[in-house]
Amino acid sequence: MPREVRERQMMDAAVATFGQRGYRAASMDEIAELAGVSKPLVYLYLNSKEELFTACIRREADALLAAVRAGVVERGIAPDQQLWAGLTAFFAHTAEHPDAWSVLYRQARTHGERFADEVAGMREELVSFVTGLLREAARATPTSAEPADLGDRDVVGVAQALVGAAEALAGWANETPDVTAREAASTLMNFAWTGLGGLMDGERWSAGNSAVVRR
């Protein structure tokens, strides 16, 4: 069997075991048994439990990022449709790979700085991608507001909030029966896009006035 095929089998088994059992409870014996190989072979290919877990994080992070990017392939469509496509791809991938999402969203963030840093890198790439979508949306949306009203800090801040909301919603959707990817994406679009639309039109909520004001 080619090395890449055997290694993929071991990685698949590791993701399933880490995702379902947790990093600390998972054992190399379990992973080897699920992969149908010997434990020494797992160590030969992937050196240690820590390195195996790191490899799982990197593989699943790359797969999630690729899925989201692939979801937004058609340029020239309306900004809300681009965001909708990206969110639907995100929720579809996390729903189809619940063990991988558990590794990224729960396990990696709670079992050491090294693992958390790996996930942070993935998250920053997601934020950067969403920031690009929002910048395109801001340029494409007719508005009477001054361009400075929607500056870089606004766009990046909204992107951070949107990615954070998507992460939390994916965790909820994976634990709630019969929630589809389209339903989760629709929930977030209904929550976020109306607010984004107002922001792009120059509307701001004012704490002093407890109302939306136009600048």
Side-chain angles (χ1 to χ4, degrees), residues 62-123:
D62 287 345
L64 177 58
L65 289 166
V68 173
R69 290 191 178 107
V72 190
V73 293
E74 187 178 351
R75 296 297 174 184
I77 62 174
D80 60 328
Q81 292 300 315
Q82 288 190 18
L83 186 59
W84 163 257
L87 289 175
T88 303
F90 175 87
F91 289 117
H93 187 86
T94 56
E96 290 165 9
H97 304 86
D99 292 335
W101 183 241
S102 176
V103 166
L104 293 173
Y105 186 65
R106 286 195 170 87
Q107 301 303 320
R109 295 182 175 192
T110 57
H111 290 294
E113 185 176 347
R114 174 183 175 180
F115 302 142
D117 286 345
E118 294 285 346
V119 177
M122 174 206 72
R123 192 180 193 281

Side-chain angles (χ1 to χ4, degrees), residues 168-190:
L169 192 57
W172 170 80
N174 279 4
E175 294 173 356
T176 304
D178 303 323
V179 176
T180 67
R182 289 179 65 85
E183 183 181 351
S186 180
T187 297
L188 191 50
M189 285 294 293
N190 286 327

Side-chain angles (χ1 to χ4, degrees), residues 142-146 149-150 196-205 212-215:
T143 176
S144 59
E146 294 296 323
D149 277 355
L150 192 60
L196 285 171
L199 187 62
M200 291 169 189
D201 284 337
E203 295 178 353
R204 302 295 179 106
W205 179 82
V212 173
V213 297
R214 181 173 291 276
R215 290 184 180 178

